[in-house]
Structures are given as C-alpha cells and as structure tokens.
Amino acid sequence: MLLSELAGKELIQVDEGIRYGLLADTDLIFNGKTGEIIGLEIKKKFGRFSFKNRPEEADEFIPWSEIVLIGEHRILFRKTGPIDEAYLNE
C-alpha cells in the first residue's frame, strides 16, 4: 500500500469510537537509523483566535503497536498517549 493511499484513511480509537481525523493530518514518527515506524503524532488544532487563559493541550501520540487494523477507509487503534522519550530513543 502506498503512503498516499493511507493519507485519506480516518483514524478511529476502537474502545470509545472517537474519531481523530485523517492520517494526512498527523506526523509520522520513525527511527532515523532503522526506518522503523514508531507511531503517529496528532497535533492539537486551535481556532484562528488564541486565548491567553486557555491552557495548551499536549499533542497525542499513537504508538504503531496500538494499531489494530488498517481497513479500506479507516485505521483502528487502541489508545493514545503523550510522546514518551522511550519511544524516541528505541
């Protein structure tokens, strides 16, 4: 499967059915030495106006090991979390 084919697939967390948008809206995190995919970083989107009192939410991370199924239109995964340095140093 080509990366361009994956880009249009919708990301869905299976336990709660939460939709996280399209794969094209994420950053692919991979090991620069081995080329192994570590996971996907989901950037938080904010509106056009910034509110100074609004706390910044952390970006979310989907470890590649949490992906359950890559289907025709969707990618199903179990859980997200913050990017852990352990993932980046593997």
Side-chain angles (χ1 to χ4, degrees):
M1 180 176 292
L2 299 173
L3 185 57
S4 60
E5 294 172 330
L6 283 173
K9 295 185 187 294
E10 184 175 28
L11 294 164
I12 300 178
Q13 193 266 344
V14 293
D15 292 336
E16 298 178 32
I18 298 171
R19 301 166 97 173
Y20 279 79
L22 299 177
L23 182 72
D25 298 330
T26 67
D27 289 333
L28 181 66
I29 308 297
F30 65 95
N31 183 314
K33 294 179 184 173
T34 66
E36 179 183 15
I37 297 172
I38 296 170
L40 306 167
E41 183 179 21
I42 303 168
K43 300 285 187 186
K44 293 291 183 183
K45 292 183 181 177
F46 297 103
R48 293 187 335 186
F49 302 104
S50 175
F51 296 100
K52 295 186 188 233
N53 293 333
R54 182 178 177 177
E56 291 240 354
E57 295 182 41
D59 295 335
E60 292 189 71
F61 178 70
I62 302 171
W64 192 254
S65 60
E66 292 297 321
I67 293 178
V68 176
L69 175 73
I70 298 176
E72 186 175 344
H73 301 288
R74 291 168 189 84
I75 297 174
L76 305 178
F77 64 93
R78 286 189 281 277
K79 64 181 179 176
T80 66
I83 292 181
D84 188 355
E85 287 296 320
Y87 287 119
L88 300 177
N89 292 326
E90 288 182 348

